[in-house]
Amino acid sequence: MRYAIVIEYDGSAYNGFQRQKELPTVQQTLEEALSLKLQEDISVTASGRTDAGVHAAGQVAHFDSRKAIDTSDFGFRLNPLLPRDIAVKACYGVDESFHARFSARRKTYVYRVYLSAIHAPLKEKYNHVCFYDVDIDVMKEACKYLVGEHDFRAFMLSESKVRTTVRTLYEARIDVSEGGRQLEFVFTGNGFLHNMVRSMTGTLIDVGRGRFALSDLPEIIESKKRANAGKTLEGKGLTLISVDYGKPLCDGFVDEKREKVTEND
């Protein structure tokens, strides 16, 4: 039987989601807790592999089990076996056709930036603290150049190996609070390349502080060269907010038309 779980985690103490030798990861921690709870070897597949230090509010994963699980309070019963920085928020029985990665239609990430002329100790853990003066209106305008289907190779980690670097961004916006000091860069797309959100945000900040002009954005995208874009910001400011499958997981999710999805974060 196949089950989907929605997971929240603080990625500060982990070397990303994907299991790695001799390094703490979210996947390993989850699999150990699930295996102990269900008394069988459990392997977890997530919607994407968040990097070291990256957080999630709504990561989705699936696993198979021989047991019939009472999903109504499974998270409540499993979470005592997990560290305090990982929690299973919901569990659903799903059809065998469901795949946490390949059934996904959209993902939404938020990158948080705090504007401060001095260090901001209470913001450091979940934000990139930016010491520059930036023009927020110009950055909002720059977001428009990122929306749509593009080859985002210029914003990808250079060493990444993927079949295609074309992705579609449905939304790119900046939410502002705390008197203009707290910025949330929100991106929704059909998939994301390795470091794509972090480098897009770094590039938008470079536009805001005048290192790039608005007119440079189309040229950066068209160049497909990582060296032409802005800095890749730290993982700590990035959170996977949600994964959209086009229909509710609580309905059991039968994926009648699973599409071939390229490698995504």
Side-chain angles (χ1 to χ4, degrees), residues 4 16 28 40 43 62 86 96 105 117 129 152 172 221 254 260-261:
Q28 177 185 350
E40 58 180 311
S43 178
H62 77 260
I86 302 176
E96 295 290 332
R105 297 293 179 261
V129 178
F152 285 98
I221 295 170
V254 179
K260 185 67 174 178
V261 178

Side-chain angles (χ1 to χ4, degrees), residues 190-246:
N190 67 347
F192 292 87
L193 301 165
H194 195 180
N195 285 357
M196 179 174 158
V197 172
R198 292 158 59 187
S199 59
M200 286 192 303
T201 305
T203 302
L204 290 171
I205 288 176
D206 280 343
V207 171
R209 70 186 185 97
R211 181 170 177 257
F212 295 135
L214 266 178
S215 57
D216 291 332
L217 259 294
E219 295 179 11
I220 290 170
I221 295 170
E222 186 65 27
S223 76
K224 304 176 188 177
K225 294 182 179 179
R226 180 67 192 91
N228 290 343
K231 176 183 177 182
T232 299
L233 301 183
E234 317 97 301
K236 65 180 182 179
L238 183 60
T239 301
L240 172 59
I241 297 297
S242 62
V243 185
D244 178 13
Y245 292 93

Side-chain angles (χ1 to χ4, degrees), residues 7-15 24-26 29-30 54-57 79 81-89 125-126:
I7 315 148
E8 179 176 321
Y9 52 86
D10 177 335
S12 303
Y14 300 96
N15 204 60
T25 65
V26 178
T29 307
L30 270 173
V54 175
H55 319 292
N79 288 338
L81 300 177
L82 289 165
R84 298 286 291 179
D85 50 12
I86 302 176
V88 171
K89 299 164 66 176
K125 189 173 184 181
Y126 300 110

Side-chain angles (χ1 to χ4, degrees), residues 29 38 44 51 63 103 113 149-150 195 206 225 228:
T29 307
L38 299 173
V44 169
D51 289 335
F63 66 90
S103 298
V113 173
E149 183 180 88
H150 303 289
N195 285 357
D206 280 343
K225 294 182 179 179
N228 290 343

Side-chain angles (χ1 to χ4, degrees), residues 151-167 192-197 199-200 224-227 229 232 263 265:
D151 188 328
F152 285 98
R153 184 181 297 273
F155 303 104
M156 180 185 73
L157 182 70
S158 301
E159 302 85 54
S160 295
K161 305 294 183 185
V162 291
R163 286 189 292 274
T164 176
T165 49
V166 174
R167 299 290 186 272
F192 292 87
L193 301 165
H194 195 180
N195 285 357
M196 179 174 158
V197 172
S199 59
M200 286 192 303
K224 304 176 188 177
K225 294 182 179 179
R226 180 67 192 91
T232 299
E263 300 91 338
D265 280 349

